[in-house]
Amino acid sequence: MAQKAQQVSGAGCRLGGFSQLAELPEEALAELDSICRVRTYPAGKIIAGPDEEADFIGCVHDGILRMQKTLYDGRVAIVGLLVEGDMFGRVFERPMSVSIEAATDVEVCAFNRSRFEKLLMQYPELDRMLLLNILNELDRARDWMMILSNQRVRGRVAGFLLILCTRFATVDHFLRLREGKLIVKVPIGRTDLAHLLGTRTESLSRAFHALADDGLIDIEKPDLIAIRDLDALAAEAGEDDLSSFLSLNDLMKVLKARDA
Amino acid sequence: MAQKAQQVSGAGCRLGGFSQLAELPEEALAELDSICRVRTYPAGKIIAGPDEEADFIGCVHDGILRMQKTLYDGRVAIVGLLVEGDMFGRVFERPMSVSIEAATDVEVCAFNRSRFEKLLMQYPELDRMLLLNILNELDRARDWMMILSNQRVRGRVAGFLLILCTRFATVDHFLRLREGKLIVKVPIGRTDLAHLLGTRTESLSRAFHALADDGLIDIEKPDLIAIRDLDALAAEAGEDDLSSFLSLNDLMKVLKARDA
DNA sequence: CGGTATTTTGAGTATCGTCAAGGCCAGTGG
DNA sequence: CCACTGGCCTTGACGATACTCAAAATACCG
C-alpha cells in the first residue's frame, strides 16, 4: 500500500503510507495528494488554535503534536497527543475547541480546507474514513479519561505506558523489542506528561521510580522505559480493555513482524 | 420546529423536538420516525454493552444514561453522560467501546441499525448531522478530561457544576433561575459522580461543603445546588472556555427567555 | 567542557482515600 | 400515625498519597 501511495505522490507527500488513508481509492488519494502541502514546524510552535485562522486540515507525517487547552491562569491541560498518521483540523466551519502545538519538531501534510471538503462530498469513502477517524479519537479520549480517573499517580503512569504500548505500537519508533523486553520511548517530557496526567513532575518521577522499585519497569533513561511485567502494569492501571484487546503475545508478534 | 416534527410523528416519537435533528429535511425526519420505536428502561438497566447484541441506534428522549467502562476488578469508570437529544449506538459495525446504562428511568427512541445506515446513505444531511454529533461528543469528552486533570477534588466538582450550567443549560430541567440565583439540579447520585470525577463519595461530600462554606454555592438539597458565585467557581475549576463561551449574563438571558 | 534545561530527591504540609459510624429521608408495613 | 428499614449522604479520625518549595543531580547541547 505504501508503494501505491508513493506512485501517486507528486509532492513528496507520502499519504497512505500510514493511517486509514491507505484504503482509499487511488483517484481520491491522487486528488488528496494534489492539494497537499508539506509543512514543518519547530518544537513549541503553535500550529492551530481557536484564534489562529490557519484554515487547513492536517495529517501528521512525523513528530508529535499535543492537543491542549489553555486555562485563563496560563496553565495548560493536554487532552491528547497526535502521532504519525493522525489527522486534525476544523471541518465544517466548526470552531476548534483545542489548540494544537508541536511537542517535537514535526512535519505535517496540510490540505486546504474548502478543497478538502469538496473531496469529502465527492468521495463517500473519504467521508466515512473521516468519520471512523473521529470515532477513533473519541475512543482515545475515553481511554485518557479512564486513565485520569485513576486516583493514584502510579496507576495513571501505568495506564499511560499501556496506551503507549497499544495505540502507538504500530506506528513509529516508540516501541522496540530488546532481549525479550519491551522498550518504550516516552515521546514527551515530564512537564507535558504531568499536564496530561493531571499531576506534577515530582509526583511523576516518584511514580516512575516506585514502579521501577517494584520491578514492573526499568528506567533506562528518563524517556526510555523497559517494561518487565506488562500484566502487572495493567493490574496497576486497572485497565481491562487494553490487556484484553492486545495481549503481551500479540504485541510480541507485532514487534517481531516489524523488526524482521 | 417542534411542531413540524410533531406533524410527521406517527409513533409518538418526538424527533426533532430537540437536538440537531430539528434541522433535517422533512422527508428524512418522516423516514426516521417511521423506523423508530420508543423504548423505556428502568434505572440501572444496561441498555447496550460490548457483549450485548442490541443492534440499534438510540436517541435519548427523557432521563439520563451513563456511558461507562467496567474494569476487570469490577470498578466502573464513567466516561460521560447522555441527556435528552443525545444519540448513541454502534455505527458501521464498530464495536461499542463503552457500555450504556440507565442512570435514571429513561425513554429512548431506537432505530434499527441497518435501516438507519441506509438512511445515512440516502440523506447526506443526516450523515453530516451524525458527524457533527460525534464531534460534539468528542468535545465533551475533552471537557471531562479537563475536569479530571484538575488535581483537587474541589476543582473537579466546580468544573462539573460549570459543565452542568453550560452543556446542559439548554436542555431539560437541570437549570432554574430563582431570586437571581442559578439553581442546578445534579442529575446523578454521589456514587456515580464519584466514578465520573475519579474520587470517592466522602471526598465529594467534603468538596461540596467546602465550596458551600466558602460561599460559592448553597446546598439546598444534596442534588440541588444554588450557585452564588459563578466566576469564583470558574476560577476554582481553572476553566477558561466555559466562562468565556457562556458568561453569567448569557446564562441569565437564556434562562429568562425560557422561563418566560 | 561548560551552561542550561530537565529530572530527581528531600522535608514538610495539605489533601485525599479508607474505615467506621451516624444522620437523613422515602417507602413499607404494622 | 408511627416505628422500621434500606439507601444515600454526611462526619470524624487516621494513614497514605500527593502537592509545595527548595536544592541537588543528571542529562542534553553546543
Side-chain angles (χ1 to χ4, degrees):
Chain A
M1 305 212 191
Q3 297 81 350
K4 188 199 291 181
Q6 291 287 26
Q7 285 171 16
V8 297
S9 171
C13 195
R14 315 180 303 280
L15 290 177
F18 27 67
S19 168
Q20 306 89 337
L21 285 171
E23 290 157 22
L24 291 178
E26 251 181 76
E27 303 167 55
L29 264 181
E31 289 215 50
L32 268 180
D33 199 73
S34 71
I35 64 169
C36 148
R37 283 184 43 127
V38 177
R39 301 188 188 183
T40 60
Y41 299 92
K45 177 78 177 177
I46 295 175
I47 293 176
D51 31 309
E52 301 282 324
E53 89 288 358
D55 214 16
F56 63 93
I57 309 293
C59 177
V60 183
H61 260 194
D62 193 47
I64 309 276
L65 303 183
R66 49 175 190 247
M67 294 181 282
Q68 59 192 20
K69 296 194 170 199
T70 306
L71 305 174
Y72 80 101
D73 56 6
R75 297 200 331 267
V76 290
I78 298 182
V79 293
L81 297 177
L82 295 172
V83 299
E84 194 176 305
D86 284 336
M87 303 194 67
F88 62 92
R90 153 174 41 181
V91 259
F92 296 124
E93 308 284 352
R94 272 174 54 88
M96 290 256 299
S97 55
V98 297
S99 67
I100 291 182
E101 193 173 324
T104 66
D105 290 349
V106 292
E107 183 176 304
V108 305
C109 169
F111 307 102
N112 174 286
R113 188 167 68 79
S114 59
R115 282 202 260 176
F116 184 84
E117 288 185 4
K118 207 174 286 174
L119 284 186
L120 227 48
M121 308 292 185
Q122 204 168 334
Y123 296 100
E125 301 93 342
L126 182 60
D127 190 279
R128 196 156 71 141
M129 188 222 70
L130 186 66
L131 186 78
L132 290 178
N133 202 308
I134 292 170
L135 282 173
N136 268 331
E137 261 195 79
L138 191 56
D139 283 348
R140 273 182 264 155
R142 298 218 169 104
D143 284 341
W144 287 124
M145 281 190 66
M146 296 273 296
I147 290 178
L148 285 174
S149 65
N150 198 319
Q151 300 101 328
R152 289 188 274 302
V153 175
R154 274 183 63 138
R156 274 175 280 182
V157 170
F160 172 75
L161 288 175
L162 285 179
I163 283 203
L164 242 43
C165 288
T166 53
R167 178 172 140 45
F168 296 159
T170 53
V171 295
D172 236 341
H173 7 266
F174 293 162
L175 207 54
R176 295 268 165 71
L177 190 60
R178 208 184 59 206
E179 301 158 16
K181 291 194 303 187
L182 280 170
I183 313 289
V184 186
K185 173 152 178 57
V186 180
I188 55 175
R190 292 286 193 269
T191 309
D192 281 348
L193 190 51
H195 286 145
L196 188 54
L197 299 185
T199 181
R200 295 288 140 125
T201 61
E202 298 94 327
S203 299
L204 274 186
S205 178
R206 286 185 243 271
F208 271 111
H209 285 273
L211 290 175
D213 290 345
D214 291 356
L216 304 201
I217 62 173
D218 284 332
I219 307 173
E220 311 221 327
K221 289 182 195 171
D223 64 340
L224 214 64
I225 305 296
I227 294 178
R228 294 175 142 269
D229 191 342
L230 199 69
D231 293 328
L233 263 193
E236 190 77 43
E239 276 293 342
D240 178 40
D241 299 65
L242 297 177
S243 53
S244 60
F245 271 28
L246 197 57
S247 72
L248 180 59
N249 291 333
D250 294 335
L251 263 180
M252 294 296 183
K253 257 186 282 180
V254 168
L255 290 173
K256 276 177 186 153
R258 207 184 54 191
D259 289 355
Chain B
M1 307 210 192
Q3 297 82 350
K4 191 199 289 179
Q6 291 286 28
Q7 284 171 18
V8 297
S9 172
C13 195
R14 315 180 303 280
L15 291 176
F18 29 65
S19 167
Q20 308 90 336
L21 284 172
E23 291 158 19
L24 292 179
E26 250 180 79
E27 303 166 54
L29 264 181
E31 288 215 50
L32 267 180
D33 199 72
S34 71
I35 65 169
C36 148
R37 281 185 45 127
V38 176
R39 300 187 189 184
T40 60
Y41 298 92
K45 177 80 178 175
I46 294 175
I47 293 176
D51 32 308
E52 302 281 323
E53 89 289 358
D55 215 17
F56 63 92
I57 310 291
C59 177
V60 183
H61 260 191
D62 194 48
I64 309 276
L65 302 184
R66 48 174 190 246
M67 294 181 282
Q68 59 193 22
K69 295 194 172 201
T70 306
L71 305 174
Y72 79 101
D73 55 6
R75 299 199 329 268
V76 291
I78 298 182
V79 293
L81 298 177
L82 295 171
V83 300
E84 194 175 304
D86 285 334
M87 303 194 66
F88 62 91
R90 153 176 41 180
V91 258
F92 295 123
E93 308 284 351
R94 272 174 55 87
M96 290 254 302
S97 55
V98 297
S99 67
I100 292 182
E101 192 172 325
T104 66
D105 289 350
V106 292
E107 182 176 305
V108 305
C109 171
F111 306 102
N112 174 287
R113 187 167 68 78
S114 59
R115 283 203 260 178
F116 185 85
E117 289 185 2
K118 205 174 287 174
L119 284 186
L120 227 49
M121 308 291 185
Q122 205 169 334
Y123 296 100
E125 301 93 341
L126 181 62
D127 190 278
R128 198 162 70 147
M129 189 222 70
L130 186 66
L131 186 79
L132 291 178
N133 202 308
I134 292 171
L135 282 173
N136 269 332
E137 261 194 79
L138 191 56
D139 282 350
R140 272 183 265 158
R142 297 219 169 103
D143 284 341
W144 287 125
M145 281 189 65
M146 296 271 296
I147 289 179
L148 283 174
S149 66
N150 199 318
Q151 300 102 329
R152 289 190 266 311
V153 176
R154 274 184 64 139
R156 276 176 276 182
V157 170
F160 172 75
L161 289 174
L162 286 178
I163 282 201
L164 243 42
C165 288
T166 53
R167 170 115 336 100
F168 297 157
T170 52
V171 294
D172 236 341
H173 5 265
F174 293 163
L175 208 52
R176 295 267 164 71
L177 191 59
R178 208 185 57 208
E179 301 158 16
K181 289 195 305 186
L182 280 169
I183 313 288
V184 185
K185 172 151 179 59
V186 180
I188 56 175
R190 292 286 193 268
T191 308
D192 279 349
L193 190 52
H195 287 146
L196 188 55
L197 299 186
T199 182
R200 296 288 141 129
T201 60
E202 298 94 330
S203 299
L204 275 185
S205 179
R206 286 185 244 272
F208 271 110
H209 285 272
L211 290 174
D213 290 345
D214 292 355
L216 304 201
I217 62 174
D218 285 332
I219 306 173
E220 312 222 327
K221 289 181 195 171
D223 65 338
L224 214 65
I225 306 297
I227 293 178
R228 295 175 141 268
D229 191 341
L230 199 70
D231 293 328
L233 262 193
E236 190 78 42
E239 277 292 343
D240 177 41
D241 299 64
L242 297 177
S243 52
S244 60
F245 271 29
L246 196 57
S247 71
L248 180 58
N249 291 332
D250 293 335
L251 262 181
M252 294 295 183
K253 257 185 282 179
V254 168
L255 290 173
K256 275 178 186 155
R258 208 183 54 191
D259 290 354

